[in-house]
C-alpha cells in the first residue's frame, strides 16, 4: 500500500540537505530544503544515493521554452538574414501565449552555411521544428536552430494552397500541380508525429 | 463625551472584537478559468479579487526585460461601487500607482523570479468592497492567486494592518478605526522565515509603542497564514481528488 500523500505549501521545510537533495519545486536555504510550490511531496532514490525531494503540482503551470528544448513554431516573416517565427509548442506541450523567436541564416543547416538562402529554406506560414539555442538579447527573442537532420519544415503549403509532400531534404512537391519548392525539410521522427 | 469610542472600558471594539482579533476571513482559489491563477478573498467587509497571468513573454517595451529574472507587473484598481460614495477614479491615479508599487515590492521579495529569466508575471488586483485593510486583503488575494498559477515562491506572503488606540495595539483595522485618524501600520510578512516584505505606516506614533504595534501586526499576519494555509491545502487536496490521484 502506498504511503499517504503529503501536501506541502511554499515556505514549508521539508528536510535538511543531508537527508535529501533538492529537486524541482524546492529551494534550499541555510542547509534545509523548502517547498516553493503547493502540491504533493515526492521522493525518489536510485542506487542508494540520497533521495531526490521534489514537489509535484497536479495541474501543469505555464511552460517557458528553455535552452535545448525542441519547439514547434510557425514562420511569420522572412528576410535575407533571418526568419521570424512564433513558438507554438514546447515539446508536445502547447503554449498559452506564443513566444517570438528568430532563426538566423547561419543556423539553418550545419553544412555550407555561406550558401544558405532563407527564402529557399522557409516561407511564411510553414510549420518548423527547431531547437532553442539562446534566450536572445534585447533586440530579439529566442534564438532557434534547425541545423540537424530532424529539424526543419514539417508542414508547408504550395502557392495553390495544397499541403506539399517532402521528396528530399531540400525539396517539397505539390501533389496537385507537381510544382517543386525548396525547403529545409525535417526528417520527422515517429515520436513527434501526432495524429 | 467627545467622539466615537473605539475601545470600550471592557476591552471590546466597535464591532465586538478584542484588540488582537481578526475579522472573519473567507477565501477561494481558482475562481476564473481563463486566468493562470485567480483568487477571491473576504476579510470582514473588505472583498478583493486577484488574477495572475504568466510567466509569459514581455509585452510592451522590450527594454524592460531583465536578463536574469522575471519582471513582476502589478496593477491595483478599486471598483466604483466599492466605497460608501460612488467614485470613478481615472486609471493611474495616485492611490492606484502607490498600491501597485507596494504590491510589486511585496511579490518581488516572495516570488523566485530567477527561475524565469526574460519573462513577465502579471498580477491584477481589484477591490470589490472596501472596509479597511485594503492593502492586506489585496496581498492575501494575490498570494493565493500566485499559488494557484503554480509560480514558485519562497514563502507565501501574509499581510495585516494594525493600529494604536488608548494605549492598546489593535489588529486588522476596519474602516471606522481607520477613519478615526490614529496611527495605521500595514505589514506584509513571509511567515516561515519571519522576513518582512513590506512595512508602511502613517500618522504619528511614539517610538516606545512601535514594537508593540509591530508585534500585533506580525501576530495577526501569522494568524492569517494559518487560515490561508488551510485554504491552500484544501485546494491542493481537491485538485488531487478531481484528477483521480
Amino acid at each position: 500500500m502506498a504511503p499517504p500523500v503529503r501536501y506541502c505549501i511554499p515556505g514549508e521545510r521539508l528536510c535538511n540537505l543531508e537527508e535529501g537533495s533538492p529537486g524541482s519545486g524546492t529551494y534550499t536555504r541555510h542547509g534545509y530544503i523548502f517547498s516553493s510550490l503547493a502540491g504533493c511531496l515526492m521522493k525518489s532514490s536510485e542506487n542508494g544515493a540520497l533521495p531526490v525531494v521534489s514537489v509535484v503540482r497536479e495541474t501543469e503551470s505555464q511552460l517557458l521554452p528553455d535552452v535545448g528544448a525542441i519547439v514547434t513554431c510557425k514562420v511569420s516573416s522572412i528576410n535575407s538574414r533571418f526568419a521570424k517565427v512564433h513558438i507554438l509548442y514546447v515539446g508536445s506541450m502547447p503554449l498559452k501565449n506564443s513566444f517570438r523567436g528568430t532563426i538566423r541564416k547561419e543556423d539553418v543547416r550545419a553544412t555550407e552555411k555561406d550558401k544558405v538562402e532563407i527564402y529557399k529554406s522557409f516561407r511564411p506560414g510553414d510549420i518548423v521544428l527547431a531547437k532553442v539555442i539562446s534566450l536572445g538579447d534585447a533586440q530579439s527573442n529566442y534564438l532557434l536552430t534547425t541545423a540537424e537532420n530532424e529539424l526543419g519544415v514539417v508542414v508547408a503549403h504550395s502557392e495553390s494552397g495544397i499541403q506539399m509532400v517532402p521528396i528530399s531534404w531540400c525539396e517539397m512537391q505539390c501533389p496537385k500541380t507537381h510544382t517543386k519548392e525548396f525547403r529545409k525539410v525535417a526528417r520527422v521522427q515517429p515520436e513527434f508525429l501526432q495524429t | 463625551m467627545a467622539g466615537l469610542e473605539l475601545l470600550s472600558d471592557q476591552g471590546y471594539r466597535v464591532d465586538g472584537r478584542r484588540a488582537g482579533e481578526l475579522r472573519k476571513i473567507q477565501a477561494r482559489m481558482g475562481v476564473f478559468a481563463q486566468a493562470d491563477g485567480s483568487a477571491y478573498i473576504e476579510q470582514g467587509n473588505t472583498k478583493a479579487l486577484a488574477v495572475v497571468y504568466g510567466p509569459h513573454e514581455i509585452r510592451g517595451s522590450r527594454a524592460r526585460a531583465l536578463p536574469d529574472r522575471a519582471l513582476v507587473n502589478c496593477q491595483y484598481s478599486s471598483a466604483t461601487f466599492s466605497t460608501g460614495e460612488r467614485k470613478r477614479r481615472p486609471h493611474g491615479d495616485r492611490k492606484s500607482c502607490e498600491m501597485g508599487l507596494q504590491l510589486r515590492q511585496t511579490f518581488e521579495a516572495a516570488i523566485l523570479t530567477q527561475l524565469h529569466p526574460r519573462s513577465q508575471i502579471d498580477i491584477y488586483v481589484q477591490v470589490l468592497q472596501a472596509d479597511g485593510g485594503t492593502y492586506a486583503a489585496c496581498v492575501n488575494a494575490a498570494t493565493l492567486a500566485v499559488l494557484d498559477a503554480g509560480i514558485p515562491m519562497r514563502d507565501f506572503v501574509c499581510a495585516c494592518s494594525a493600529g494604536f488606540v488608548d494605549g492598546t495595539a489593535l489588529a486588522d483595522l476596519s474602516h471606522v478605526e481607520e477613519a478615526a485618524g490614529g496611527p495605521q501600520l500595514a505589514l506584509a510578512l513571509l511567515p516561515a522565515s519571519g522576513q518582512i516584505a513590506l512595512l508602511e505606516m502613517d500618522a504619528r506614533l511614539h517610538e516606545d509603542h512601535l514594537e508593540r504595534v509591530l508585534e500585533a501586526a506580525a501576530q495577526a499576519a501569522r494568524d492569517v497564514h494559518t487560515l490561508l494555509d488551510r485554504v491552500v491545502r484544501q485546494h491542493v487536496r481537491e485538485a488531487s481528488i478531481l484528477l483521480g490521484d
Side-chain angles (χ1 to χ4, degrees):
Chain A
M1 179 169 120
V5 187
R6 178 183 165 187
Y7 301 106
C8 36
I9 56 171
E12 187 170 332
R13 198 168 74 187
L14 304 178
C15 61
N16 59 40
L17 277 170
E18 294 154 8
E19 296 168 7
S21 55
S24 69
T26 64
Y27 67 97
T28 61
R29 192 207 288 148
H30 302 327
Y32 288 97
I33 298 176
F34 294 85
S35 171
S36 64
L37 288 174
C40 306
L41 180 67
M42 295 261 179
K43 285 186 177 180
S44 58
S45 57
E46 300 167 7
N47 309 328
L50 280 180
V52 176
V53 183
S54 53
V55 178
V56 180
R57 223 172 96 88
E58 292 298 328
T59 56
E60 203 57 46
S61 54
Q62 181 80 298
L63 199 58
L64 287 180
D66 203 7
V67 173
I70 304 290
V71 296
T72 306
C73 27
K74 186 175 195 177
V75 180
S76 52
S77 70
I78 58 174
N79 62 28
S80 60
R81 290 183 295 114
F82 51 79
K84 292 282 192 181
V85 299
H86 288 309
I87 299 173
L88 308 173
Y89 286 75
V90 175
S92 56
M93 190 81 58
L95 294 176
K96 271 191 173 182
N97 316 283
S98 72
F99 289 78
R100 287 169 288 179
T102 301
I103 305 177
R104 295 181 303 170
K105 182 176 154 186
E106 298 84 16
D107 297 321
V108 171
R109 62 170 111 128
T111 60
E112 293 182 324
K113 294 186 178 182
D114 51 323
K115 295 183 181 175
V116 172
E117 296 173 64
I118 288 287
Y119 65 94
K120 286 186 176 176
S121 307
F122 310 110
R123 294 291 177 92
D126 290 352
I127 306 295
V128 179
L129 274 183
K131 182 189 277 188
V132 181
I133 55 175
S134 168
L135 297 185
D137 54 16
Q139 262 67 53
S140 67
N141 282 80
Y142 296 88
L143 286 186
L144 311 173
T145 181
T146 56
E148 285 176 24
N149 292 340
E150 293 80 27
L151 305 174
V153 176
V154 292
V155 174
H157 293 78
S158 68
E159 290 178 7
S160 54
I162 315 283
Q163 182 171 331
M164 292 194 286
V165 180
I167 55 177
S168 76
W169 70 270
C170 61
E171 274 182 331
M172 280 180 149
Q173 190 173 31
C174 176
K176 187 180 181 186
T177 65
H178 301 297
T179 311
K180 291 182 182 176
E181 294 189 15
F182 292 103
R183 294 287 194 283
K184 202 283 178 183
V185 182
R187 190 176 66 191
V188 181
Q189 298 298 301
E191 60 260 30
F192 289 124
L193 290 174
Q194 296 183 50
T195 55
Chain B
M1 112 166 171
L4 188 57
E5 205 180 17
L6 293 180
L7 199 65
S8 70
D9 292 338
Q10 293 83 24
Y12 293 108
R13 295 207 245 170
V14 177
D15 47 12
R17 287 185 283 148
R18 289 281 192 183
E21 204 172 325
L22 299 179
R23 293 175 290 180
K24 182 181 182 185
I25 292 181
Q26 286 175 304
R28 271 188 55 207
M29 295 166 71
V31 297
F32 289 128
Q34 64 267 35
D36 293 326
S38 54
Y40 168 74
I41 199 168
E42 292 181 9
Q43 278 185 238
N45 282 331
T46 303
K47 298 167 183 169
L49 265 173
V51 291
V52 169
Y53 296 94
H56 59 83
E57 194 174 41
I58 298 271
R59 298 198 186 116
S61 167
R62 219 172 309 180
R64 296 187 302 154
L66 304 165
D68 57 337
R69 55 196 167 90
L71 176 78
V72 180
N73 172 42
C74 292
Q75 282 189 25
Y76 164 90
S77 69
S78 57
T80 56
F81 48 85
S82 63
T83 48
E85 57 183 73
R86 190 184 189 93
K87 192 180 298 184
R88 178 184 291 105
R89 293 183 183 83
H91 180 65
D93 70 317
R94 186 193 303 270
K95 186 188 175 185
S96 301
C97 286
E98 185 184 0
M99 195 75 90
L101 284 174
Q102 287 174 358
L103 287 169
R104 196 181 85 187
Q105 280 185 53
T106 306
F107 284 97
E108 276 174 356
I111 294 175
L112 297 170
T113 49
Q114 70 271 11
L115 297 180
H116 309 104
R118 214 181 290 277
S119 66
Q120 180 174 327
I121 297 169
D122 289 328
I123 301 174
Y124 300 104
V125 188
Q126 181 160 49
V127 171
L128 302 180
Q129 188 174 331
D131 188 49
T134 306
Y135 169 75
C138 293
V139 168
N140 296 330
T143 203
L144 291 178
V146 169
L147 272 171
D148 190 41
I151 296 172
M153 290 174 92
R154 199 164 274 114
D155 190 357
F156 63 100
V157 202
C158 298
C160 203
S161 55
F164 193 74
V165 168
D166 291 343
T168 307
L170 308 180
D172 199 11
L173 303 175
S174 63
H175 177 67
V176 172
E177 290 151 350
E178 282 186 359
Q184 298 163 34
L185 182 138
L187 175 76
L189 192 74
L190 299 164
S193 54
Q195 292 175 345
I196 293 176
L198 193 106
L199 178 64
E200 190 210 341
M201 166 161 238
D202 40 284
R204 297 159 66 197
L205 182 71
H206 197 281
E207 186 187 0
D208 292 348
H209 304 315
L210 177 64
E211 193 66 37
R212 243 187 319 151
V213 179
L214 250 178
E215 183 47 44
Q219 180 57 45
R222 282 190 283 267
D223 294 342
V224 170
H225 178 264
T226 306
L227 287 159
L228 298 189
D229 180 297
R230 199 176 305 160
V231 171
V232 173
R233 288 183 194 274
Q234 180 65 29
H235 180 73
V236 170
R237 193 171 298 115
E238 279 168 8
S240 301
I241 291 167
L242 285 178
L243 292 171
D245 198 24

